[in-house]
Amino acid sequence: MPKFEKMAYASSDEMIFGTAKNPVKYGRDFTVGGGYVFPELVPHPRPGTEATKKTLVKEYEKMVTDVLDRCVAIGIPGIQIELEHVYQMTRNPDWGGEIAAETKRLQEEYYRKFGLKSAIRATIADYRKPDEEDIRNSVALENMLKTFETSAAGGADNLSIESVGGKEISDYTIVRQDIRGTLFGIGVLGSRDMEFMWKKVVEIANKYGATPGGDTNCAQANVAMFMAGGYQDRSVPHTFAALTRAIAAARTLVAYEQGAKGPTKDCGYEDVIIKAITGNPISMEGKTCACAHSDLLGNLVAACCDLWSNEAVEYHDMFGGTTVAVFTEILGYDVALMNTAIEMGHAKILKELMVQSDKYRDTHGFILCPENAYEIGKAIVSNNTSYYARARAAAIKAGELMLGDSNLQMSAFEKESLQSAMRTLESLPDKEEDFISECADIYKKLIPGFTLANYGL
Amino acid sequence: MATVANYANIFVRYDLISSGEAKGAKVSSKDAALQKVLQCVLEGDSDNIEAAVNEALASKDPMTVINEGLIKGMNEVSRLWDEGVYYLPQAIVASDAMLKGLEICEKKLGKSLEKKGTVITHTAEGDIHDLGQKIVNALLRANGFEVVDLGKDVPVDEVVAAVKKYNPVMLTGTALMTTTMTAFERISNRLTKDGYATPFVCGGGAVSLEYVTGYNLGIYGKDASQAPGMASDAVNGLSWSQLREKWNS
Ligand code: B12
């Protein structure tokens, strides 16, 4: 059941990069949201190195060393490294654990020698298959939980995941521009699966003294956003993707209701809304994640960040060093600029510049600029009678905002898609149980393997 | 706080160039019943296609409804998509409606329409990013192919066994991770060793032209919309190397 009833901030003006209401302290003298922004670097191993534990651990050792060396070379005060598990690291719990331990060993060495502050996030791969197995009782789940444990025991400070509940529905509905099913897959099923999953993650984190970090709607809202793509893509309407993002905020919130503390997961673009509601520190990615994917809000998305990330970069040589070192440097200077603005009392101006760069570039940036994100947050907390009600309210609010600002231009096709989705959203039942039974009937017929029992229904 | 007076030097909305009026469909039928079928396909209206098809079947034979209603409509949808009028969802819901209509006609015919050929699709071992594959499935089916969908995270052994069982005109693979795409090469090696020359179209975010053309049988698929054209070429007898020559250079 939903828990948040009010906003952590009195207005979006109060929200700013580097500071959160509830800072998180962990790792080696590392505080997130305590006044300054830090980089979060995500290295990705080269293909082939996943073949054995030995080669993969070695790969991480090299990558992490390059990152820490570059921090020291150019004076970066502190850094978080995310171990975003490739499948093999979760499939084999001891691999994930050993890589966390090796990363910690290196971070401790640089802390001792140079005082470089640091922390580790481990993001376990959710490889459950909702349309093929009992996701509440499967080998995949068992391995994932074991890997959370080995990671925490190995030295991960922050435990995170990109959970996939409801994906079997949204995979079907996003490419069909079906907003009802998307609301069902993300807002209802996704939320319910997160409640199940996060109780377990929080328990494990507490057992090992690690911090339960966060979740992201990568499996759904990012699918819609990446498919919407750039200005010339015609896979999913951008307005539809923006509605999906608003729904995702209501879903991702569940992690924090179950006890996650943040910093949130970098690819959760919905996290500005999460910060507005929870006051927890957030990790964001924008222009610096162009190495992993393109987006239309590269500056704007940094406006309220507490960690600034690159999403993932594959380990290779570049003229300026290895990719992980190069991206450490790029993130480091971005963050230095933000922290300079903070020190000189210009943070609000820099925030405004970031926002104005992208607010009207595309619908996604528009709904995620702090003032609109705040409004969507308010719609969520004031409709907290059910997961469904608040997710639907978030989408309707996002739609109203898009239609209500004449500076936000849209093609006729985009506008029609939005209006059609709004008509559907408004016609849906008010009660969650009615919505669930309506959707259960429809999607059981359409989606082979879809079972309500996976969601405790 | 100051506002921006002019965004033109900050970003240009290239998406709004010539985006004015949505251009409509160009096909129609003089027959009112067939027109309804056509309309349902063009609008992706799965709710009403059943009634429309049944109405048309009252006065027409199933093959006419298929050719003059369902397939004609779907061809127009493909054109609208190619020209950028329709987005992917319009193409997919149209194909859903078309397939639903087809099923009714086939029942009346008493047999299934002969498929153009069988294609096996899968997502690589260890990889659950299967959205690209699902789009490929939908587009192949819409174009009259039989699809054997092996699903996601499919072990190499299973893929090889399926090829031996169905002997498809084409095999496809999707991988979004560089650490899982390596399964493709193993599949290729196994098939080649056992004497199979099945064209193996590989796509997905992680894979590249360079990687896929580095092993036998491999043809790089950049966009799901290419899959039906490639499968047609395979049916028409193009070998994997001819397919590679045509689509990858
Ligand atoms: C959505 C997503 C997810 C979703 C997947 C949902 C789903 N149903 O697929 C979820 C959340 C489950 C997920 C999980 C993970 N993900 Co992920 N994910 C993505 C994301 C954001 C988008 C992928 C997507 O759906 N694209 C849209 C589809 C339609 O595109 P597509 O499949 O490529 O298909 C197009 C073409 O390639 C082509 N095509 C595809 N197949 C074929 C076949 C043929 C025959 C043809 C002709 C064409 C063709 O046609 C399509 C377009 O028409 C990407 C980011 C990115 N830059 O791609 C990361 C990404 C792929 N993920 C990544 C990672 C690391 C993971 C995880 C390991 C993370 C973790 N620790 O949890 C897990 C993986 C677990 C596992 N075992 O697989 C990395 C992979 C890095 C790499 N290259 O190795 C990426 C690149 C993100 C990053 N970190 O940079 N992810």
Side-chain angles (χ1 to χ4, degrees):
Chain A
M1 278 300 289
K3 290 187 182 152
F4 283 102
E5 301 178 330
K6 52 183 203 314
M7 306 295 283
Y9 291 86
S11 83
S12 66
D13 280 350
E14 268 187 33
M15 294 166 62
I16 188 83
F17 51 81
T19 301
K21 293 264 175 184
N22 314 312
V24 171
K25 189 168 187 307
Y26 54 36
R28 284 142 289 288
D29 195 16
F30 196 75
T31 304
V32 189
Y36 299 97
V37 184
F38 288 100
E40 175 163 21
L41 190 286
V42 193
H44 201 91
R46 279 168 299 180
T49 55
E50 80 285 357
T52 67
K53 179 163 94 171
K54 195 167 159 220
T55 50
L56 197 60
V57 173
K58 186 82 202 147
E59 182 83 346
Y60 270 92
E61 192 185 311
K62 282 196 267 182
M63 296 194 292
V64 169
T65 305
D66 287 0
V67 171
L68 300 176
D69 274 342
R70 187 61 63 102
C71 287
V72 171
I74 65 164
I76 298 175
I79 193 161
Q80 176 159 304
I81 293 180
E82 179 186 12
L83 306 173
E84 193 183 56
H85 282 202
V86 296
Y87 166 68
Q88 292 79 359
M89 283 156 77
T90 298
R91 171 72 191 72
N92 309 296
D94 58 318
W95 296 28
E98 190 159 330
I99 288 167
E102 181 56 18
T103 305
K104 182 177 178 185
R105 187 185 69 75
L106 289 164
Q107 286 194 349
E108 278 180 337
E109 186 184 319
Y110 281 71
Y111 182 63
R112 250 192 338 266
K113 273 198 208 151
F114 304 103
L116 175 63
K117 300 172 184 176
S118 59
I120 303 168
R121 181 202 302 272
T123 301
I124 270 57
D126 186 353
Y127 69 102
R128 293 172 302 156
K129 301 172 192 162
D131 52 348
E132 292 178 29
E133 64 189 37
D134 175 356
I135 59 171
R136 296 190 163 197
N137 184 17
S138 67
V139 179
L141 177 66
E142 213 172 283
N143 272 328
M144 287 158 58
L145 297 176
K146 258 190 223 147
T147 307
F148 271 120
E149 298 218 18
T150 55
S151 294
D157 303 293
N158 174 320
L159 301 183
S160 293
I161 188 167
E162 312 186 348
S163 67
V164 301
K167 164 177 121 61
E168 71 281 33
I169 302 291
S170 56
D171 277 353
Y172 182 88
T173 59
I174 288 171
V175 296
R176 287 171 173 78
Q177 221 177 297
D178 168 0
I179 195 70
R180 176 186 51 199
T182 305
L183 179 60
F184 181 55
I186 304 175
V188 177
L189 303 182
S191 298
R192 296 181 70 94
D193 182 56
M194 281 189 63
E195 190 178 314
F196 167 82
M197 178 66 82
W198 275 92
K199 281 197 167 70
K200 299 191 182 306
V201 181
V202 170
E203 213 177 272
I204 293 171
N206 290 342
K207 180 169 155 196
Y208 290 90
T211 298
D215 202 312
T216 145
N217 198 218
C218 190
Q220 301 166 313
N222 287 10
V223 167
M225 179 171 109
F226 297 133
M227 291 199 71
Y231 284 156
Q232 299 298 306
D233 291 300
R234 288 194 145 55
S235 285
V236 168
H238 291 231
T239 45
F240 185 88
L243 294 178
T244 305
R245 181 66 63 191
I247 296 170
R251 167 242 175 235
T252 298
L253 191 57
V254 177
Y256 311 97
E257 290 174 321
Q258 295 305 322
K261 300 268 182 283
T264 65
K265 179 71 183 97
D266 53 358
C267 66
Y269 283 72
E270 62 273 17
D271 287 347
V272 202
I273 304 170
I274 300 296
K275 184 168 180 173
I277 298 174
T278 64
N280 292 344
I282 62 177
S283 181
M284 301 303 285
E285 60 187 41
K287 58 190 164 186
T288 43
C289 73
C291 52
H293 64 82
S294 171
D295 64 47
L296 282 157
L297 56 166
N299 287 317
L300 178 142
V301 71
C304 300
C305 75
D306 300 293
L307 292 174
W308 183 230
S309 156
N310 68 302
E311 156 106 65
V313 68
E314 192 171 282
Y315 192 45
H316 286 295
D317 287 322
M318 295 180 92
F319 289 149
T322 61
T323 47
V324 296
V326 167
F327 275 83
T328 299
E329 179 158 340
I330 296 172
L331 291 172
Y333 277 111
D334 267 352
V335 164
L337 184 61
M338 293 187 232
N339 291 338
T340 307
I342 292 169
E343 289 296 355
M344 297 180 71
H346 295 318
K348 281 203 163 178
I349 295 177
L350 182 55
K351 173 188 167 194
E352 195 59 22
L353 299 179
M354 290 167 170
V355 168
Q356 289 300 332
S357 155
D358 307 329
K359 181 172 176 186
Y360 296 113
R361 194 183 289 270
D362 177 59
T363 49
H364 231 90
F366 176 77
I367 68 150
L368 294 178
C369 75
E371 55 271 32
N372 289 337
Y374 190 85
E375 289 303 312
I376 295 169
K378 267 194 347 205
I380 292 175
V381 295
S382 53
N383 286 279
N384 65 350
T385 50
S386 67
Y387 288 143
Y388 159 65
R390 71 182 187 183
R392 175 180 176 225
I396 291 177
K397 174 55 78 182
E400 286 168 357
L401 289 165
M402 285 189 270
L403 292 167
D405 188 333
S406 58
N407 283 323
L408 180 69
Q409 293 180 282
M410 280 177 237
S411 69
F413 182 89
E414 287 282 354
K415 193 163 187 174
E416 170 46 32
S417 308
L418 175 55
Q419 286 167 333
S420 145
M422 290 293 275
R423 283 192 295 274
T424 305
L425 286 168
E426 270 149 18
S427 72
L428 294 174
D430 286 326
K431 286 213 185 99
E432 186 176 68
E433 60 262 37
D434 295 340
F435 181 67
I436 291 177
S437 75
E438 175 181 321
C439 288
D441 284 347
I442 298 170
Y443 297 105
K444 262 194 276 182
K445 281 189 208 119
L446 293 173
I447 299 167
F450 165 51
T451 36
L452 289 166
N454 269 338
Y455 303 96
L457 285 165
Chain B
M1 195 72 65
T3 53
V4 177
N6 176 11
Y7 285 98
N9 293 305
I10 301 176
F11 56 82
V12 178
R13 290 291 302 267
Y14 295 109
D15 57 327
L16 298 176
I17 297 172
S18 77
S19 74
E21 280 301 285
K23 290 159 274 171
K26 280 190 197 147
V27 294
S28 61
S29 173
K30 287 196 194 86
D31 183 277
L34 286 176
Q35 177 64 26
K36 260 195 208 158
V37 174
L38 209 61
Q39 209 60 34
C40 282
V41 175
L42 286 167
E43 288 168 10
D45 185 350
S46 283
D47 293 337
N48 291 309
I49 189 115
E50 196 171 335
V53 167
N54 280 328
E55 194 186 321
L57 284 174
S59 60
K60 312 262 167 326
D61 66 280
M63 282 318 290
T64 310
V65 180
I66 291 174
N67 289 323
E68 294 303 308
L70 299 170
I71 295 199
K72 194 169 168 187
M74 200 58 214
N75 286 342
E76 180 63 3
V77 169
S78 300
R79 187 189 67 81
L80 289 165
W81 188 28
D82 287 344
E83 292 184 5
V85 179
Y86 273 13
Y87 279 36
L88 176 71
Q90 282 66 45
I92 297 212
V93 294
S95 128
D96 290 347
M98 195 272 287
L99 291 173
K100 200 167 168 190
L102 193 61
E103 211 175 292
I104 302 166
C105 294
E106 285 178 336
K107 231 179 241 159
K108 179 104 190 229
L109 265 179
K111 63 174 168 82
S112 299
L113 216 54
E114 199 175 323
K115 294 285 188 295
K116 290 181 188 161
T118 299
V119 179
I120 296 181
T121 69
H122 88 286
T123 296
E125 183 165 352
D127 206 324
I128 60 163
H129 296 91
D130 57 355
L131 199 51
Q133 185 203 353
K134 285 178 177 159
I135 300 171
V136 167
N137 289 345
L139 299 179
L140 283 171
R141 288 192 177 119
N143 282 279
F145 289 92
E146 178 76 40
V147 175
V148 178
D149 172 3
L150 299 181
K152 54 191 166 293
D153 180 16
V154 190
V156 170
D157 285 343
E158 227 170 87
V159 179
V160 173
V163 170
K164 292 181 179 171
K165 178 168 173 204
Y166 296 99
N167 199 15
V169 292
M170 181 171 108
L171 167 69
T172 81
T174 296
L176 270 282
M177 298 194 288
T178 46
T179 44
T180 55
M181 70 178 184
T182 43
F184 293 158
E185 217 173 324
R186 283 182 275 143
I187 292 171
S188 149
N189 290 340
R190 293 270 302 275
L191 289 175
T192 311
K193 194 172 124 262
D194 293 347
Y196 284 84
T198 318
F200 183 18
V201 183
C202 303
V207 305
S208 61
L209 178 85
E210 194 190 349
Y211 176 69
V212 177
T213 51
Y215 47 84
N216 275 337
L217 313 182
I219 299 132
Y220 175 57
K222 189 171 167 41
D223 198 277
S225 60
Q226 299 172 324
M230 291 172 158
S232 295
D233 285 346
V235 169
N236 291 334
L238 263 61
S239 66
W240 68 263
S241 51
Q242 286 168 324
L243 275 166
R244 184 188 283 180
E245 175 73 29
K246 174 170 170 186
W247 292 87
N248 288 169
S249 50

